[in-house]
Amino acid sequence: MKRDRDRGKADAAVSATTTAGKAKVWAEQDAGMDELFAVLGYKVKSTDMADVAEKLEQLEMAMGSSMEDGVSVLSNDTVHYNPSDLSGWVENMLTELNQSGGFDMMPTQIGISGESSSSNIISFSRDNQAAQQREEKYIYDDDLRAIPGGAIFSSKQKDVVVDSESGSKRMKSSVGSEFQDSSPPPPPEVARPVMLVDSQEAGVRLVHTLKACAEAIQQENVKLADALVKHIGILAVSQVGAMRKVATYFAEALARKIYKIYPQDSLESSYSDVLLMHFYETGPYLKFAHFTANQAILEAFAGATRVHVIDFSLKQGMQWPALMQALAFRPGGPPAFRLTGIGPPQPDNTDALQQVGWRLAQLAETIGVEFEFRGFVTNSLADLDANMLDIRPGNVETVAVNSVFELHRLLARPGATEKVLNSIKAMNPKIVTIVEQEANHNGASFIDRFNEALHYYSTMFDSLESSELTQPNSQDLVMTEVYLGRQICNVVACDGAERVERHETLEQWRVRMNSSGFDPVHLGSNAFKQASMLLALFAGGDGYGVEENDGSLMLGWYTRPLIATSAWRLTAED
């Protein structure tokens, strides 16, 4: 996937393709063409939809049967770039399979991502004159030097010299040695055409197909959605890197939505904590969240002798060692530090919160900070009551409330957010720090949520792949992709109370916080400068950026904001 600085070209291509597709639909409506397929560039009459869907299922069964027989050309190594006549293509494929009983009669075709700016596409049409008019190129696999980069054949490794008199071959190695091969030459193989696919154009089609599938789901057109989600897998083969991964996760989520197969989260809390730790190590997102929130809390604690942090998402306590060390070096000595950590129950009933508290207590003893810890286990923040937390008067201790990627989950339960905000007010904190994803995945329309999620998570995967500190296929990166993939699945596949990844934008949280009796606290220029220095460690500072937005800070990848940190205090009473 290209970075956002190059994404303008891709966006223009998408826009142009969409405009052309719509014009085509308008022109062919009188002819009864299906609108969704027409947008994708396929000519399918609405009256033929059931027949096409049935034939696609037959073709899939035929291909699966061939794989069991040891033939997997079309399923594994081939990219099929379909012509506009989808119905005719399916009919021809089924006819050839029935005649040949397999794929022996069909040339092996290999998909190669385009290395040049031109588009070289070979379709399944057998009209030679039409192929010449399209100026399609054929490369045969008996001349593998044509593949860019010499990945399969390298002239530096060995040369084959044919003795015209004896018919024998001599193999010359890279160091110049030769040996005689007296065996007769093997019979010539049938030349097999190689198909070159313009990866960028295939990527545009892939995005269009994903969106068309989501549109079909919203219209409750199950047959069309089923056919499109299968086609997504075919198109995704032509992609590499982040685009292919994103398409795979969204295809899985769409399939779960279509077939109503919802993910099981029996190990939700413990497994999520493990994934979150890998997410912390892979990119700057959680580090940025912790740093900016800690900076606001540290400034609010200035001059206090006893401080109390109430953490709505303790997890593994990764946020607090840095704050404790900053307090330890405060002029005049560190304050007494009290931490209340809140988390979900563990599936094995272990007291994970106390284990985290014990590790933090050992650190506090090492750096000379008076430390007190208390953990609370709850299924939802809405079940908390301020009276349970032993809040001490403001003249005794200064309170801060911290929430990182937690409040959006309350939106799945009506009234839960308002209840929690009222509980925060009862805690009488000097500051409240909130970090949330900068996205709107909580709209009423499924297609709007899908499109927003597709844009957001494509940017996330792109940034992770481009980071210089991320090793390709490392465990941290793979587990981080799983972490984000689970969010994609929840946003797309789940509904009702099960859809908990209800991210909303900073502007939406501002409206909610202001109406609940909170005023914004400006995050200082020091936090902005130091956060920018932190991001310089990732991708050499290229791509990631910090943006100040009315006193809040946003972390983004090029032009797209991804997470936002905001700070709040209780509205002063008149």
Side-chain angles (χ1 to χ4, degrees):
M1 175 174 295
K2 300 183 181 295
R3 299 180 178 175
D4 280 4
R5 62 185 177 186
D6 297 327
R7 193 165 286 130
K9 296 180 180 179
D11 290 341
V14 172
S15 177
T17 306
T18 304
T19 303
K22 290 182 178 178
K24 187 175 182 180
V25 171
W26 296 333
E28 295 180 346
Q29 278 180 343
D30 294 337
M33 293 298 176
D34 182 82
E35 180 176 350
L36 286 175
F37 269 121
V39 170
L40 295 173
Y42 299 123
K43 298 179 181 179
V44 182
K45 291 184 178 180
S46 300
T47 56
D48 295 339
M49 286 301 301
D51 183 58
V52 171
E54 181 179 356
K55 289 177 179 178
L56 283 171
E57 292 181 0
Q58 295 175 1
L59 178 60
E60 182 184 19
M61 293 176 62
M63 292 169 64
S65 176
S66 297
M67 288 180 62
E68 294 177 359
D69 295 335
V71 181
S72 59
V73 174
L74 290 176
S75 298
N76 292 332
D77 298 330
T78 308
V79 178
H80 304 287
Y81 204 88
N82 296 351
S84 61
D85 185 8
L86 182 61
S87 178
W89 175 79
V90 175
E91 183 69 34
N92 290 339
M93 290 289 292
L94 287 173
T95 301
E96 290 188 21
L97 286 172
N98 291 333
Q99 289 177 353
S100 64
F103 293 93
D104 293 337
M105 300 293 293
M106 183 176 296
T108 301
Q109 296 183 323
I110 306 171
I112 305 172
S113 299
E115 292 284 342
S116 64
S117 59
S118 61
S119 176
N120 304 314
I121 303 171
I122 295 176
S123 70
F124 287 95
S125 173
R126 295 190 179 277
D127 189 341
N128 293 332
Q129 294 180 354
Q132 292 175 359
Q133 292 175 359
R134 290 193 300 270
E135 296 183 352
E136 296 171 341
K137 300 179 182 179
Y138 288 82
I139 301 175
Y140 297 93
D141 62 1
D142 53 5
D143 184 11
L144 296 179
R145 286 169 294 186
I147 296 178
I152 300 179
F153 181 91
S154 176
S155 59
K156 295 181 179 180
Q157 292 180 350
K158 60 182 181 180
D159 297 324
V160 180
V161 181
V162 180
D163 190 330
S164 58
E165 295 182 359
S166 62
S168 61
K169 293 188 295 184
R170 287 176 290 142
M171 303 294 293
K172 182 183 295 184
S173 67
S174 57
V175 295
S177 61
E178 299 181 5
F179 63 91
Q180 188 79 13
D181 184 1
S182 59
S183 60
E189 296 183 357
V190 178
R192 298 177 177 179
V194 173
M195 179 180 65
L196 300 182
V197 176
D198 188 327
S199 180
Q200 183 174 351
E201 185 174 349
V204 172
R205 279 185 175 266
L206 177 58
V207 172
H208 282 183
T209 309
L210 284 164
K211 292 184 176 182
C213 185
E215 185 73 33
I217 291 174
Q218 179 160 294
Q219 296 177 359
E220 298 183 355
N221 191 337
V222 178
K223 282 192 174 181
L224 176 57
D226 175 71
L228 287 172
V229 79
K230 293 174 181 176
H231 190 56
I232 291 169
I234 298 175
L235 291 175
V237 176
S238 67
Q239 302 300 303
V240 295
M243 185 63 182
R244 183 170 184 170
K245 295 172 184 176
V246 169
T248 300
Y249 279 115
F250 273 91
E252 177 190 353
L254 288 170
R256 289 182 178 275
K257 182 82 169 176
I258 295 168
Y259 310 128
K260 302 185 185 303
I261 305 174
Y262 302 114
Q264 300 295 322
D265 289 329
S266 58
L267 299 177
E268 173 67 26
S269 57
S270 59
Y271 187 40
S272 293
D273 286 354
V274 172
L275 295 179
L276 189 70
M277 292 182 66
H278 289 288
F279 181 62
Y280 178 88
E281 295 295 337
T282 303
Y285 308 104
L286 267 180
K287 296 180 178 70
F288 173 87
H290 293 169
F291 175 83
T292 51
N294 283 351
Q295 186 67 26
I297 293 172
L298 185 64
E299 293 175 4
F301 283 170
T305 57
R306 304 190 70 87
V307 298
H308 182 189
V309 173
I310 301 171
D311 187 4
F312 281 176
S313 51
L314 182 64
K315 305 298 183 184
Q316 297 299 315
M318 296 177 290
Q319 180 173 349
W320 305 119
L323 179 63
M324 293 167 64
Q325 291 175 345
L327 292 173
F329 290 103
R330 195 179 71 172
F337 182 61
R338 181 179 173 210
L339 176 63
T340 297
I342 300 169
Q346 299 296 309
D348 55 0
N349 295 321
T350 57
D351 197 344
L353 295 179
Q354 289 301 323
Q355 295 175 8
V356 173
W358 174 249
R359 291 196 297 269
L360 292 174
Q362 290 179 311
L363 172 64
E365 184 178 4
T366 302
I367 62 178
V369 174
E370 182 182 341
F371 181 76
E372 180 182 348
F373 177 83
R374 190 178 183 187
F376 281 90
V377 175
T378 179
N379 288 307
S380 172
L381 293 176
D383 300 330
L384 275 180
D385 190 292
N387 296 324
M388 302 165 54
L389 304 181
D390 187 26
I391 304 297
R392 297 163 190 171
N395 58 349
V396 176
E397 68 178 11
T398 302
V399 177
V401 176
N402 180 75
S403 174
V404 177
F405 301 152
E406 284 295 326
L407 292 186
H408 67 264
R409 303 173 70 89
L410 297 171
L411 301 175
R413 296 174 56 179
T417 307
E418 292 75 12
K419 182 180 179 181
V420 169
L421 293 180
N422 288 332
S423 295
I424 293 176
K425 293 170 67 175
M427 300 172 193
N428 193 30
K430 186 171 183 180
I431 194 167
V432 180
T433 51
I434 298 176
V435 182
E436 286 290 338
Q437 289 88 345
E438 182 58 18
N440 185 9
H441 299 151
N442 195 34
S445 168
F446 169 73
I447 189 64
D448 290 342
R449 295 198 308 268
F450 179 87
N451 289 338
E452 172 72 6
L454 182 61
H455 187 194
Y456 180 84
Y457 286 104
S458 295
T459 307
M460 287 288 292
F461 274 76
D462 188 24
S463 67
L464 289 171
E465 189 168 90
S466 302
S467 175
E468 291 183 355
L469 296 184
T470 303
Q471 297 296 325
N473 300 320
S474 66
Q475 183 181 20
D476 283 333
L477 180 58
V478 171
M479 298 299 278
T480 294
E481 291 166 354
V482 174
Y483 171 79
L484 296 175
R486 284 159 60 92
Q487 292 184 10
I488 293 171
C489 189
N490 189 269
V491 171
V492 175
C494 297
D495 287 307
E498 298 299 321
R499 182 164 59 85
V500 296
E501 299 296 346
R502 295 173 176 258
H503 312 134
E504 291 193 347
T505 63
L506 175 61
E507 189 59 37
Q508 291 173 295
W509 283 108
R510 279 181 177 146
V511 173
R512 185 176 289 110
M513 296 296 289
N514 287 328
S515 63
S516 300
F518 293 89
D519 289 336
V521 175
H522 193 285
L523 295 174
S525 59
N526 287 335
F528 179 88
K529 293 177 182 179
Q530 295 181 39
S532 299
M533 293 174 60
L534 171 69
L535 295 182
L537 299 175
F538 293 87
D542 183 22
Y544 292 109
V546 183
E547 177 185 349
E548 192 273 337
N549 186 301
D550 291 337
S552 302
L553 294 180
M554 291 182 173
L555 167 62
W557 177 249
Y558 288 100
T559 60
R560 169 74 199 222
L562 295 173
I563 66 173
T565 302
S566 59
W568 304 87
R569 59 174 170 236
L570 297 180
T571 301
E573 297 181 359
D574 296 333

